[in-house]
Amino acid sequence: MAFFYIILTSLIILNLVYAVPLQKDDNVSNNPIRYSGDEIYPYEKEHIETLAEYTAECTVLLKKNGDFPLTKKDTKKIYLYGNAVRKTLKGGTGSGDVNLREFVNIETAFTNAGFEILTKDFIDAYDEVYEKANKEFQEELNNNGGGFLNMGAIMSEPEYDLPYAKEGNVAIYVLGRVSGEGTDRKPIKGDLFLTDTERKMINDLAKGFKKFMLVLNTGGPIDLTGLDDVKNILILSQLGVNTSNTLVDVITGAKYPSGKLATTWTKYEDYQTIGDFAEKDDTNYKEGIYVGYRYFDTVNTDVMYPFGFGLGYTDFEFNIVSAELRGEKFEVKTNVKNIGKYKGKEVMELYLSKPNTSLDEPYQILVGFAKTKELKPNKKQTLTIKFKLSDFASYDTKTAAYILDKGDYVVRVGNSSRNTKPCGVIKVESRIDVRKVENKLGDPGFEDYVPKINSKKEDLSNVKTFTLNAKKVKKEIIDYDYSYPIAKEVKALTLEEKAKLVIGYYVDDFIGSLIGAAVTTVSGAAAETNTLDGKLKPVVMADGPAGVRIAKSYFLDSDGKAHNLEGNLPESMMSLLPPEMLQLVDASMPKPSANDTIYHQYASAIPIGTALAQSWNEEFAEICGDIVGTEMEMFRVNLWLAPALNIHRSILCGRNFEYYSEDPFISGIMASAITNGVQEHKNAFVSLKHFAANNQETNRYLNSSNVSERAMREIYLKAFEMAIKEADPKAIMTSFNLLNGVHTSESKELTNDILRHEFGFDGLVMTDWVIAMEGEYKYPNPSASNVIKATGDIFMPGSQADYENVLEAIKNKTLSMKELEMSATRIYELSKEIEN
């Protein structure tokens, strides 16, 4: 263990002080805007104010009894309880964390709003409980190896016995749960379940106070059983920089909740256990396409809070105005009326029930949605929602085709998956093969689960029926035979230069590259490409997806090298280090002289992906992308390693907060919108991640997600396909995991055949930050040459060993010069594009 600390300490110091030679880049226009001084900069103020206009739309009201919002008659004295009052969470941990200037907690936000907080003694006492528990937790981690070995480790909420008021006027309990990269959640008290302390306090407060609200400052579902007496529950989620002020606005009525769930919240025992989760070597997705509400609605589980559900302070009613089928495009119009006493917004959701003819089908799938503008009491709005039937064709593995099966397709509209009205029936008279492809993804080793249908028959006699004209459906046959262009300038490069292009720019020590020490341009960025001694401009990459993760503060040395004053590691990682190591790190950090100017790069923390999806507001997602793109352009970041759009397959996935939903359609919509917002800016691009089936953190580097061809195509690839076709992202990042025994990054079938040929993607494919794992594992590590052979373009973060692997593969003819030049061309062309 002592040896590990020595190695780890040296690596962290390397990250802070490593003398990386500056890559030559003579383009003066590439210099970022440099901010110094302590004042809040105009862009920060503008971005915070813009986000504040929308963040309440991400909050979801699960229960209400009319006590909220507070009125002017209510006291300004308030009881605040819960672990997240002072330790408020703006987002999850890991690479997606954002280094903003300042984060105001909920306690401070209420104080700033003029409230007198009557529970400061309790909050102080809780801090002592927390610090004691956290110290014991850190000691346990250190005894188990410490540092990187526990990346993402989360302390469960402790039990305690502190006195608290059991009656009064207004009380709010803010319950927080953090999760993060590297570790999955656990179905235990203090994580997925409430502690005994939390449950008792919440129920006591709900019974004793005249007005009580339970607020959930979480990145995903928790089990809310045993809280029947709680009449007001709000999912605040984790909203970035404006998390705390948004809660104050919602409680006081300055803003109102209008979000809907993008993932089902129910008892843990309700979630399917058909497939595996968090297995070391092989995780079997035996549930097939029955993920989330597709499972619950099909087997008719009585869930607590269904997909698409969310209340407002006001109430709405809706009625169907018209439904039409034009060609293969279905359109429904609904009138939505505010029948309550508060202003608000409502979401209308469109679902499609397919026939169970030759393929088993879930009860319904989301195919469209629309959100109203703000409606005052008694005001109404007509919403129009459209979808194209062939966009939701099912995949038939036997014939390797996307099909519209023979039968009746029932279209439903409503304000949650469990509150809909049939608005049309589309009759397909015979099977239509929409797109003919080839099965590409291998055998998972099992047959997918097929549920027993448990839904009631409904009377559709009064629902208008339309017959689809099969000739209106465009049919497609995929041709996989295509050779990619090679730039003549790339052909003229030496072999060594070509090899350097397809490997991330690295320092001699691999871990230094892993944690950003190889970056010579933007302080705190994740990585950059090789300039080939000034022939090219580096493509600078920064982490996401809750904003641009770069250094808050830095100074320039006499050679122009930027030194990060905080280090490149996220705060969540630094918090796992023992005190003696932190002291050594601090002593080893570069210190600016009295004459050095301190520059700042304060980024804006946007809502986590799950919260963004809960807004059901494409416009807001694009605005978030615009904020990110603006800051990328200012600080000269070219490639944002986001958005992340893996599916909430299990509520225990530690990284779900970065992802949008259990549903691929809304995931694709949100990813498309945020991509469009970013890429409106010059030389600012996104890298969609993680492609694909990255749905657990347990052994994430060498675990095989075993998934059927149908489930991959309908669930886990669908959102990527939508975003590629709707928003044209510049890059795609492959996932760490294997798929049916093959690394996703090394799968030519996934990268070349499906991504490039079927989806039409013509951009850059990069790996995630690959670590060569040592020990007893079933599957081998990926290699740079195998990735390039699969039409991947750049192996990250890069090392001397990876570079030599490519050269050796060329020498041994396991990688052709043509394959290398095709990948090098895509890197070369992106680098040339950002020069202009």
Side-chain angles (χ1 to χ4, degrees):
M1 184 167 57
F3 174 75
F4 175 79
Y5 281 154
I6 293 170
I7 296 298
L8 179 58
T9 303
S10 67
L11 295 176
I12 292 173
I13 294 171
L14 168 71
N15 176 44
L16 298 171
V17 303
Y18 198 98
V20 183
L22 283 168
Q23 293 204 83
K24 187 176 180 182
D25 181 9
D26 296 327
N27 192 339
V28 177
S29 66
N30 294 329
N31 292 331
I33 299 173
R34 301 197 191 278
Y35 287 96
S36 61
D38 295 328
E39 73 279 2
I40 294 179
Y41 307 129
Y43 79 90
E44 291 180 272
K45 186 172 185 292
E46 179 185 344
H47 290 172
I48 290 171
E49 290 175 351
T50 299
L51 289 167
E53 293 178 25
Y54 292 91
T55 44
E57 296 196 36
C58 304
T59 65
V60 182
L61 190 61
L62 295 181
K63 293 178 72 174
K64 66 175 183 177
N65 68 354
D67 284 346
F68 292 88
L70 299 179
T71 67
K72 292 181 180 179
K73 296 180 181 179
D74 287 307
T75 178
K76 294 285 278 189
K77 297 181 179 181
I78 194 166
Y79 292 80
L80 295 179
Y81 291 105
N83 63 332
V85 169
R86 187 171 287 169
K87 301 183 186 305
T88 310
L89 301 165
K90 74 178 188 299
T93 67
S95 61
D97 202 358
V98 178
N99 298 318
L100 67 167
R101 174 191 291 266
E102 178 186 26
F103 179 66
V104 174
N105 65 25
I106 286 170
E107 178 187 19
T108 302
F110 272 94
T111 300
N112 292 344
F115 284 86
E116 180 183 349
I117 298 172
L118 304 176
T119 51
K120 286 189 175 293
D121 288 345
F122 176 90
I123 298 170
D124 289 342
Y126 171 79
D127 277 353
E128 293 181 9
V129 170
Y130 177 88
E131 292 305 324
K132 181 176 182 293
N134 189 54
K135 182 179 179 181
E136 294 172 353
F137 177 67
Q138 298 293 342
E139 289 175 352
E140 181 181 351
L141 291 183
N142 294 335
N143 290 335
N144 291 331
F148 286 116
L149 298 184
N150 294 292
M151 181 178 180
I154 302 298
M155 182 185 79
S156 298
E157 177 65 15
E159 301 280 5
Y160 53 87
D161 184 13
L162 297 174
Y164 57 93
K166 294 183 173 63
E167 59 182 29
N169 289 316
V170 181
I172 296 173
Y173 191 102
V174 187
L175 186 147
R177 289 290 188 270
V178 67
S179 59
E181 180 179 8
T183 303
D184 289 313
R185 297 177 63 191
K186 297 178 177 62
I188 59 174
K189 292 179 181 180
D191 190 343
L192 183 67
F193 297 109
L194 303 182
T195 64
D196 294 338
T197 303
E198 289 171 330
R199 180 173 285 104
K200 184 178 186 307
M201 282 190 67
I202 291 166
N203 280 321
D204 285 347
L205 297 172
K207 292 174 184 176
F209 277 77
K210 294 178 182 178
K211 294 187 176 185
F212 174 69
M213 174 81 82
L214 171 61
V215 175
L216 304 171
N217 180 211
T218 69
I222 57 174
D223 191 317
L224 296 174
T225 53
L227 300 179
D228 294 342
D229 290 331
V230 181
K231 305 304 180 185
N232 298 282
I233 302 178
L234 176 76
I235 299 176
L236 174 64
S237 193
Q238 295 164 354
L239 306 176
V241 64
N242 285 328
T243 301
S244 301
N245 289 329
T246 298
L247 177 59
V248 174
D249 286 343
V250 169
I251 293 296
T252 60
K255 300 284 173 58
Y256 49 84
S258 66
K260 302 279 187 177
L261 292 178
T263 288
T264 306
W265 281 51
T266 190
K267 302 184 294 295
Y268 179 61
E269 64 195 55
D270 290 340
Y271 294 95
Q272 65 84 16
T273 56
I274 302 155
D276 302 334
F277 179 75
E279 297 296 323
K280 179 187 175 184
D281 295 319
D282 291 278
T283 301
N284 297 316
Y285 291 40
K286 293 181 180 179
E287 72 279 1
I289 60 173
Y290 296 94
V291 178
Y293 73 92
R294 285 168 164 79
Y295 168 76
F296 294 124
D297 292 356
T298 302
V299 302
N300 203 23
T301 302
D302 185 18
V303 298
M304 296 177 71
Y305 303 106
F307 178 84
F309 173 81
L311 304 172
Y313 284 149
T314 192
D315 297 298
F316 296 91
E317 65 178 15
F318 71 91
N319 64 282
I320 300 165
V321 176
S322 64
E324 296 293 337
L325 181 67
R326 297 185 178 91
E328 63 156 321
K329 293 181 180 178
F330 187 89
E331 176 185 294
V332 61
K333 293 184 178 181
T334 61
N335 269 341
V336 181
K337 184 177 180 180
N338 184 343
I339 58 173
K341 60 180 182 178
Y342 296 102
K343 59 189 177 182
K345 295 183 179 183
E346 178 64 305
V347 177
M348 297 307 298
E349 305 159 22
L350 201 62
Y351 294 89
L352 178 68
S353 297
K354 304 179 189 180
N356 286 272
T357 306
S358 63
L359 299 175
D360 59 286
E361 297 286 358
Y363 173 71
Q364 61 185 358
I365 63 172
L366 182 71
V367 295
F369 63 88
K371 192 166 191 175
T372 67
K373 62 184 180 182
E374 181 174 279
L375 295 178
K376 294 180 180 178
N378 295 314
K379 296 297 181 180
K380 60 184 179 180
Q381 181 182 355
T382 300
L383 293 178
T384 301
I385 312 175
K386 305 175 183 178
F387 76 97
K388 189 167 73 171
L389 191 61
S390 64
D391 285 345
F392 300 92
S394 302
Y395 189 75
D396 181 11
T397 306
K398 290 181 180 179
T399 60
Y402 290 87
I403 70 167
L404 293 174
D405 222 339
K406 176 182 178 180
D408 292 343
Y409 292 71
V410 182
V411 187
R412 311 171 195 279
V413 65
N415 57 11
S416 86
S417 63
R418 294 294 177 93
N419 184 36
T420 62
K421 302 175 184 177
C423 58
V425 177
I426 305 171
K427 184 178 289 295
V428 176
E429 295 182 315
S430 60
R431 167 174 160 153
I432 303 170
D433 286 359
V434 176
R435 184 167 28 150
K436 188 73 176 70
V437 297
E438 296 174 8
N439 291 326
K440 293 288 182 180
L441 300 176
D443 181 6
F446 54 81
E447 294 293 323
D448 280 351
Y449 159 78
V450 178
K452 294 179 181 178
I453 305 301
N454 193 26
S455 56
K456 297 178 181 178
K457 294 211 169 187
E458 59 186 323
D459 182 6
L460 299 174
S461 58
N462 294 323
V463 180
K464 189 174 181 180
T465 299
F466 308 88
T467 300
L468 178 68
N469 182 349
K471 294 180 180 179
K472 298 294 184 180
V473 178
K474 182 181 177 181
K475 301 175 181 63
E476 184 181 11
I477 299 176
I478 299 297
D479 180 8
Y480 297 97
D481 184 19
Y482 180 76
S483 181
Y484 302 101
I486 297 172
K488 61 182 181 181
E489 294 88 347
V490 170
K491 279 188 172 292
L493 297 175
T494 67
L495 169 60
E496 290 74 16
E497 288 175 322
K498 294 169 188 176
K500 286 179 180 178
L501 274 184
V502 299
I503 303 295
Y505 183 66
Y506 58 89
V507 294
D508 289 340
D509 188 286
F510 169 71
I511 297 294
S513 298
L514 179 69
I515 54 181
V519 177
T520 67
T521 48
V522 179
S523 183
E528 62 190 30
T529 58
N530 203 306
T531 68
L532 302 182
D533 294 325
K535 291 181 181 178
L536 298 172
K537 185 184 184 306
V539 178
V540 180
M541 310 171 196
D543 263 321
V548 182
R549 196 173 77 81
I550 50 180
K552 283 196 294 187
S553 303
Y554 67 96
F555 69 96
L556 301 177
D557 64 20
S558 58
D559 294 323
K561 164 70 178 176
H563 291 276
N564 184 348
L565 293 181
E566 293 90 15
N568 284 359
L569 290 174
E571 290 181 14
S572 55
M573 173 59 71
M574 295 294 286
S575 70
L576 299 177
L577 302 179
E580 62 271 19
M581 192 180 297
L582 289 174
Q583 292 173 6
L584 184 56
V585 168
D586 181 67
S588 305
M589 286 181 67
K591 303 295 192 295
S593 69
N595 296 325
D596 287 327
T597 301
I598 306 300
Y599 298 103
H600 303 295
Q601 302 174 132
Y602 295 121
S604 303
I606 63 175
I608 61 172
T610 300
L612 198 57
Q614 287 172 182
S615 76
W616 293 66
N617 188 334
E618 290 180 69
E619 178 189 25
F620 181 40
E622 187 161 347
I623 286 170
C624 287
D626 177 57
I627 287 172
V628 169
T630 298
E631 294 177 4
M632 289 174 67
E633 193 172 1
M634 287 168 46
F635 298 120
R636 298 301 186 261
V637 172
N638 308 119
L639 196 59
W640 188 45
L641 306 180
L645 62 159
N646 297 104
I647 296 298
H648 293 176
R649 174 181 177 252
S650 167
I651 60 170
L652 297 180
C653 176
R655 216 165 172 181
N656 271 356
F657 70 95
E658 294 188 25
Y659 311 146
Y660 296 112
S661 173
E662 66 190 21
D663 178 73
F665 178 76
I666 193 170
S667 299
I669 292 292
M670 291 296 159
S672 298
I674 203 166
T675 296
N676 285 331
V678 170
Q679 295 191 166
E680 289 173 355
H681 294 269
K682 183 178 180 181
N683 295 337
F685 307 105
V686 309
S687 181
L688 301 184
K689 65 183 185 184
H690 309 86
F691 191 75
N694 183 93
N695 302 107
Q696 70 178 48
E697 291 298 287
T698 302
N699 189 24
R700 60 182 182 160
Y701 297 105
L702 294 176
N703 180 272
S704 179
S705 296
N706 300 325
V707 196
S708 70
E709 188 98 19
R710 183 184 182 191
M712 279 300 299
R713 289 175 176 274
E714 291 191 26
I715 304 294
Y716 301 103
L717 297 179
K718 180 70 175 178
F720 287 96
E721 180 182 12
M722 289 177 61
I724 288 164
K725 292 180 176 179
E726 294 295 323
D728 192 23
K730 182 62 68 175
I732 300 288
M733 178 190 288
T734 55
S735 53
F736 287 129
N737 58 280
L738 298 88
L739 176 62
N740 297 329
V742 179
H743 277 286
T744 58
S745 58
E746 294 184 337
S747 172
K748 192 168 186 177
E749 291 77 13
L750 184 63
T751 303
N752 182 68
D753 297 348
I754 293 179
L755 181 63
R756 296 194 188 278
H757 290 281
E758 293 186 28
F759 296 174
F761 179 70
D762 62 358
L764 186 75
V765 176
M766 63 189 299
T767 68
D768 204 336
W769 268 228
V770 176
I771 296 177
M773 302 297 289
E774 297 180 358
E776 295 184 6
Y777 294 97
K778 178 178 178 179
Y779 297 105
N781 291 293
S783 72
S785 59
N786 285 344
V787 168
I788 304 308
K789 193 170 188 66
T791 74
D793 299 312
I794 186 165
F795 195 85
M796 300 300 297
S799 70
Q800 182 67 19
D802 298 326
Y803 167 71
E804 291 172 357
N805 173 261
V806 173
L807 296 180
E808 187 69 19
I810 291 290
K811 178 181 177 181
N812 295 337
K813 298 184 179 180
T814 54
L815 179 68
S816 72
M817 185 63 72
K818 181 179 180 182
E819 289 168 328
L820 175 59
E821 288 175 344
M822 286 192 300
S823 294
T825 292
R826 286 187 280 265
I827 301 291
Y828 177 88
E829 289 179 343
L830 177 56
S831 182
K832 283 297 185 182
E833 181 177 349
I834 63 178
E835 281 185 7
N836 301 319

